[in-house]
Amino acid sequence: MDLLKDPDLVTELGPLLSAEAAAEAPGAGVDAADLEQAVWVRLLESGRRAPDRADPAEPARWLRRAVRAEARLARRRARREIPYDHRRRPADGRRHPSADGGPQPAAAAGPVPEDALLHGEVNRALRSAVARLPGRCPELMKALLSPRDLTYREIAGELGISQGSLGPVRSRCLGCLRRMLAAEVAAPGLRGMER
């Protein structure tokens, strides 16, 4: 299987690669196009170690394995990467000189407007997702997130359910909320031509 010697291979495996990458990308937290590109690079780099083209199932099997391997690598990479926040001060609280030797500009005294905007958007998205939860979940989540800091006994009394069932119901509601938010965050937008 050599891309340079067999250009039809790209057209044969392209749709399968697109579908596999689109399926694996949300779970890996990467863009499907990046995952596709990594697999093509892996195929080009593999050279003679690539599967035999004589067996028609072998290239597809290799492709699926390669997509999953690249997705695993992306997940590992995401766990190791720590985003850089240029607004945080060092642990000692002092400003250090900049790279050119001059003093650093003073940090803003109040909250940064971008942070306030992002925080507001996150809160709106969370409230919207909580409102779409099924059954008694919206009421329970609103009671749990209430600024009044209610106890389980008070929440059970407000909702008219037993205190012992709050934990399992809360767990189911949080699981549902987690799945809803993961699907909304990880769902990539449409790219290219729509079908």
Side-chain angles (χ1 to χ4, degrees), residues 6-193:
D6 190 3
D8 293 335
L9 191 61
V10 174
T11 56
E12 281 180 37
L13 294 178
L16 176 64
L17 176 58
S18 294
E20 291 289 327
E24 290 289 331
V30 294
D31 190 32
D34 292 340
L35 200 54
E36 268 186 75
Q37 183 178 8
V39 172
W40 285 123
V41 168
R42 180 182 278 230
L43 180 61
L44 284 171
E45 288 175 344
S46 65
R48 289 185 175 77
R49 293 178 290 143
D52 184 19
R53 184 117 163 86
D55 180 10
E58 191 61 24
R61 189 177 313 130
W62 183 90
L63 189 80
R64 286 184 182 101
R65 286 182 183 151
V67 168
R68 288 184 183 93
E70 288 297 328
R72 278 192 305 272
L73 283 172
R75 278 193 294 273
R76 276 191 224 123
R77 205 174 307 119
R79 279 195 303 260
R80 286 192 311 252
E81 290 178 354
I82 300 170
Y84 174 71
D85 186 4
H86 67 282
R87 293 170 291 214
R88 288 185 54 188
R89 288 182 173 241
D92 60 7
R94 294 181 293 166
R95 288 187 303 168
H96 296 286
S98 63
D100 62 359
Q104 279 188 330
V112 180
E114 293 88 6
D115 290 342
L117 177 69
L118 288 174
H119 184 70
E121 287 179 11
V122 167
N123 281 342
R124 276 190 292 282
L126 181 60
R127 282 193 303 270
S128 170
V130 166
R132 292 190 317 266
L133 285 171
R136 299 188 127 185
C137 290
E139 299 166 337
L140 176 61
M141 297 308 294
K142 286 176 187 171
L144 288 171
L145 297 173
S146 169
R148 296 183 301 167
D149 197 24
L150 302 171
T151 64
Y152 265 32
R153 177 175 288 163
E154 292 168 334
I155 293 172
E158 275 189 16
L159 299 178
I161 58 177
S162 71
Q163 187 176 345
S165 65
L166 276 180
V169 172
R170 178 188 62 93
S171 179
R172 284 192 297 273
C173 292
L174 287 174
C176 186
L177 181 63
R178 191 177 298 117
R179 286 188 299 275
M180 283 174 59
L181 290 175
E184 289 176 9
V185 170
L190 294 175
R191 295 181 173 258
M193 297 180 355

